Amino acid sequence: MTIGLVHYLVLSTILFTLGLYGVFTRRNAVALLLAVELIMLAVALNFTAGAQFWGKPGGLIFAIFIIAVAAAEAAVGLALVIAIYRNQKDVDLDRLTMLRW
Amino acid sequence: MATIIGFYLLALLAIGAGILLVSSRNLLHALLGLAVASLAVAGLMLGLRAEFLALVLVLIYVGAVVVLGVFAVMLTGHFEKAVLPPSNELKILGGGTALALLVLITGVILIQPLAPDAVPAQVPIQKLGALLMTDYVLPFELVSVLLLAALVGAIVIARGKED
């Protein structure tokens, strides 16, 4: 028995759904952004495994793009969290109701 | 044999760190979970012979995202204050949806016969660079615009009003 593509795909599915569970259940904005980062991590692993087992380097390029997008998302997301905290003194998502009435 | 044991160890480490990340009420512990999960996935990428990606992952995730997260935790005053736990209703609904998706995707992966036609081999970094400048030059330029926009946006949003 060897470690094949299926092992990596199942592992990245587990990590992806764990991150999804975090996005569903977290009520704190910082914690929710961290769960989104876990999803991005799982997708990067998925692309890498596919690229390496099928011998197509394009998947590696897209894994690099996903890591870049994850970094950009973290920077803007956490800046937004800090701006919200400055206005509301709170980053509880249940109490962020300024855009609805 | 060593690669099999290594894979399962790193996979268990990544899943355990992921559980810590989504369930810990202390945000610093959640950040530690993200760091450990990133390192474990970087180790798995080393096992896949994607050395360059493993290095990039450690650099960006552990070096940049986790540090940004520490700053966000610090600036929103969550060093001592624990975050609110999710309600039971949210736990059941969110957990059920995530579990259903997990079963669905895993089932599709296991049913669909996947026939990889290559063993993982190291892609020379020169080839990656050449691909970025030829076939994938348009997405590359788009990512550079995205990063510039994110840079300017993060500064403008986080700076706030000038007094």
Side-chain angles (χ1 to χ4, degrees):
Chain A
M1 187 190 132
T2 55
I3 300 297
L5 176 60
V6 172
H7 293 78
Y8 285 98
L9 293 188
V10 171
L11 173 64
S12 66
T13 307
I14 293 171
L15 288 178
F16 180 88
T17 47
L18 258 179
L20 204 61
Y21 171 77
V23 171
F24 284 151
T25 54
R26 283 297 202 181
R27 292 164 66 188
N28 183 284
V30 181
L32 191 139
L33 282 171
L34 293 183
V36 174
E37 291 300 319
L38 186 65
I39 291 182
M40 299 279 208
L41 195 68
V43 175
L45 177 65
N46 209 344
F47 264 107
T48 312
Q52 291 297 81
F53 275 100
W54 274 303
K56 295 204 167 57
L60 296 179
I61 306 279
F62 272 91
I64 295 174
F65 288 154
I66 284 167
I67 293 171
V69 171
E73 175 260 322
V76 177
L78 294 174
L80 275 171
V81 168
I82 289 168
I84 290 167
Y85 181 76
R86 194 181 290 136
N87 283 329
Q88 309 249 316
K89 295 290 160 221
D90 192 14
V91 287
D92 188 342
L93 295 171
D94 291 342
R95 270 175 270 164
L96 275 184
T97 54
M98 56 183 150
L99 283 184
R100 54 187 149 113
W101 72 92
Chain B
M1 194 62 204
T3 56
I4 297 175
I5 295 171
F7 173 83
Y8 281 109
L9 275 180
L10 286 173
L12 279 179
L13 191 64
I15 293 170
I19 290 171
L20 180 70
L21 166 62
V22 296
S23 64
S24 173
R25 291 192 56 199
N26 184 329
L27 282 185
L28 281 183
H29 293 173
L31 270 170
L32 180 71
L34 181 63
V36 173
S38 311
L39 286 174
V41 170
L44 288 166
M45 284 179 173
L46 281 181
L48 280 167
R49 304 298 316 279
E51 286 89 351
F52 177 65
L53 262 178
L55 288 177
V56 168
L57 198 71
V58 172
L59 204 68
I60 307 267
Y61 266 80
V62 186
V65 174
V66 171
V67 173
L68 259 179
V70 172
F71 272 106
V73 170
M74 202 160 61
L75 292 173
T76 55
H78 283 102
F79 260 143
E80 292 93 19
K81 199 173 63 179
V83 297
L84 293 172
S87 62
N88 279 331
E89 186 193 10
L90 208 58
K91 262 187 195 163
I92 293 167
L93 279 177
T97 314
L99 197 66
L101 196 68
L102 174 66
V103 170
L104 181 73
I105 300 178
T106 312
V108 171
I109 291 171
L110 293 180
I111 290 169
Q112 181 75 25
L114 290 166
D117 53 7
V119 284
Q122 190 186 10
V123 178
I125 194 165
Q126 291 91 337
K127 194 176 177 196
L128 282 182
L131 275 175
L132 269 180
M133 282 294 130
T134 53
D135 290 4
Y136 297 95
V137 69
L138 184 65
F140 179 72
E141 295 297 335
L142 283 177
V143 165
S144 69
V145 174
L146 172 79
L147 284 175
L148 180 67
L151 186 74
V152 176
I155 293 171
V156 169
I157 292 167
R159 191 182 56 179
K161 291 193 193 75
E162 287 189 34
D163 295 319

